[in-house]
PDB file of all heavy atoms in Angstrom:
ATOM      1  N   GLY A 320     -33.911 -10.407  23.025  1.00 94.00           N
ATOM      2  CA  GLY A 320     -33.923 -11.111  24.309  1.00 94.00           C
ATOM      3  C   GLY A 320     -33.603 -10.215  25.494  1.00 94.00           C
ATOM      4  O   GLY A 320     -33.487 -10.684  26.624  1.00 94.00           O
ATOM      5  N   GLY A 321     -33.482  -8.903  25.258  1.00 96.00           N
ATOM      6  CA  GLY A 321     -33.111  -8.000  26.350  1.00 96.00           C
ATOM      7  C   GLY A 321     -34.288  -7.301  27.022  1.00 96.00           C
ATOM      8  O   GLY A 321     -34.083  -6.494  27.935  1.00 96.00           O
ATOM      9  N   ALA A 322     -35.520  -7.624  26.592  1.00 97.00           N
ATOM     10  CA  ALA A 322     -36.694  -6.881  27.084  1.00 97.00           C
ATOM     11  C   ALA A 322     -36.824  -6.932  28.607  1.00 97.00           C
ATOM     12  O   ALA A 322     -36.999  -5.896  29.264  1.00 97.00           O
ATOM     13  CB  ALA A 322     -37.964  -7.407  26.424  1.00 97.00           C
ATOM     14  N   ASP A 323     -36.714  -8.149  29.183  1.00 97.00           N
ATOM     15  CA  ASP A 323     -36.888  -8.291  30.639  1.00 97.00           C
ATOM     16  C   ASP A 323     -35.795  -7.537  31.391  1.00 97.00           C
ATOM     17  O   ASP A 323     -36.059  -6.886  32.395  1.00 97.00           O
ATOM     18  CB  ASP A 323     -36.835  -9.776  31.042  1.00 97.00           C
ATOM     19  CG  ASP A 323     -38.086 -10.502  30.580  1.00 97.00           C
ATOM     20  OD1 ASP A 323     -39.047  -9.816  30.175  1.00 97.00           O
ATOM     21  OD2 ASP A 323     -38.078 -11.752  30.604  1.00 97.00           O
ATOM     22  N   LEU A 324     -34.594  -7.646  30.859  1.00 97.00           N
ATOM     23  CA  LEU A 324     -33.452  -7.003  31.501  1.00 97.00           C
ATOM     24  C   LEU A 324     -33.627  -5.480  31.508  1.00 97.00           C
ATOM     25  O   LEU A 324     -33.394  -4.808  32.512  1.00 97.00           O
ATOM     26  CB  LEU A 324     -32.189  -7.392  30.732  1.00 97.00           C
ATOM     27  CG  LEU A 324     -30.867  -7.212  31.432  1.00 97.00           C
ATOM     28  CD1 LEU A 324     -30.763  -8.136  32.630  1.00 97.00           C
ATOM     29  CD2 LEU A 324     -29.722  -7.483  30.454  1.00 97.00           C
ATOM     30  N   LEU A 325     -34.058  -4.944  30.369  1.00 97.00           N
ATOM     31  CA  LEU A 325     -34.271  -3.499  30.262  1.00 97.00           C
ATOM     32  C   LEU A 325     -35.382  -3.042  31.209  1.00 97.00           C
ATOM     33  O   LEU A 325     -35.242  -2.031  31.902  1.00 97.00           O
ATOM     34  CB  LEU A 325     -34.594  -3.119  28.806  1.00 97.00           C
ATOM     35  CG  LEU A 325     -34.877  -1.645  28.540  1.00 97.00           C
ATOM     36  CD1 LEU A 325     -33.728  -0.744  28.994  1.00 97.00           C
ATOM     37  CD2 LEU A 325     -35.150  -1.411  27.044  1.00 97.00           C
ATOM     38  N   ASN A 326     -36.465  -3.823  31.274  1.00 97.00           N
ATOM     39  CA  ASN A 326     -37.553  -3.490  32.204  1.00 97.00           C
ATOM     40  C   ASN A 326     -37.078  -3.481  33.636  1.00 97.00           C
ATOM     41  O   ASN A 326     -37.424  -2.593  34.418  1.00 97.00           O
ATOM     42  CB  ASN A 326     -38.688  -4.518  32.094  1.00 97.00           C
ATOM     43  CG  ASN A 326     -39.581  -4.191  30.917  1.00 97.00           C
ATOM     44  OD1 ASN A 326     -39.603  -3.057  30.449  1.00 97.00           O
ATOM     45  ND2 ASN A 326     -40.294  -5.203  30.433  1.00 97.00           N
ATOM     46  N   GLU A 327     -36.288  -4.496  33.948  1.00 98.00           N
ATOM     47  CA  GLU A 327     -35.778  -4.617  35.310  1.00 98.00           C
ATOM     48  C   GLU A 327     -34.888  -3.412  35.652  1.00 98.00           C
ATOM     49  O   GLU A 327     -35.012  -2.828  36.727  1.00 98.00           O
ATOM     50  CB  GLU A 327     -34.975  -5.912  35.406  1.00 98.00           C
ATOM     51  CG  GLU A 327     -34.723  -6.384  36.816  1.00 98.00           C
ATOM     52  CD  GLU A 327     -33.842  -7.641  36.831  1.00 98.00           C
ATOM     53  OE1 GLU A 327     -33.929  -8.456  35.878  1.00 98.00           O
ATOM     54  OE2 GLU A 327     -33.065  -7.781  37.781  1.00 98.00           O
ATOM     55  N   LEU A 328     -34.019  -3.040  34.704  1.00 98.00           N
ATOM     56  CA  LEU A 328     -33.133  -1.901  34.936  1.00 98.00           C
ATOM     57  C   LEU A 328     -33.946  -0.621  35.102  1.00 98.00           C
ATOM     58  O   LEU A 328     -33.695   0.178  36.009  1.00 98.00           O
ATOM     59  CB  LEU A 328     -32.137  -1.766  33.772  1.00 98.00           C
ATOM     60  CG  LEU A 328     -31.240  -0.529  33.783  1.00 98.00           C
ATOM     61  CD1 LEU A 328     -30.463  -0.402  35.085  1.00 98.00           C
ATOM     62  CD2 LEU A 328     -30.270  -0.548  32.608  1.00 98.00           C
ATOM     63  N   GLN A 329     -34.940  -0.449  34.233  1.00 97.00           N
ATOM     64  CA  GLN A 329     -35.750   0.765  34.353  1.00 97.00           C
ATOM     65  C   GLN A 329     -36.501   0.809  35.682  1.00 97.00           C
ATOM     66  O   GLN A 329     -36.628   1.866  36.302  1.00 97.00           O
ATOM     67  CB  GLN A 329     -36.687   0.898  33.147  1.00 97.00           C
ATOM     68  CG  GLN A 329     -35.965   1.629  32.013  1.00 97.00           C
ATOM     69  CD  GLN A 329     -36.598   1.463  30.643  1.00 97.00           C
ATOM     70  OE1 GLN A 329     -37.370   0.508  30.406  1.00 97.00           O
ATOM     71  NE2 GLN A 329     -36.269   2.347  29.728  1.00 97.00           N
ATOM     72  N   GLY A 330     -36.933  -0.368  36.137  1.00 97.00           N
ATOM     73  CA  GLY A 330     -37.580  -0.464  37.453  1.00 97.00           C
ATOM     74  C   GLY A 330     -36.637  -0.032  38.572  1.00 97.00           C
ATOM     75  O   GLY A 330     -37.029   0.707  39.482  1.00 97.00           O
ATOM     76  N   GLU A 331     -35.395  -0.482  38.471  1.00 97.00           N
ATOM     77  CA  GLU A 331     -34.396  -0.119  39.491  1.00 97.00           C
ATOM     78  C   GLU A 331     -34.114   1.382  39.475  1.00 97.00           C
ATOM     79  O   GLU A 331     -33.964   2.005  40.523  1.00 97.00           O
ATOM     80  CB  GLU A 331     -33.081  -0.880  39.256  1.00 97.00           C
ATOM     81  CG  GLU A 331     -33.143  -2.356  39.549  1.00 97.00           C
ATOM     82  CD  GLU A 331     -33.436  -2.660  41.011  1.00 97.00           C
ATOM     83  OE1 GLU A 331     -32.750  -2.109  41.881  1.00 97.00           O
ATOM     84  OE2 GLU A 331     -34.363  -3.455  41.277  1.00 97.00           O
TER      85      GLU A 331
END
Side-chain angles (χ1 to χ4, degrees):
D323 289 348
L324 199 65
L325 178 56
N326 278 339
E327 197 183 328
L328 173 55
Q329 273 162 340
E331 289 297 309

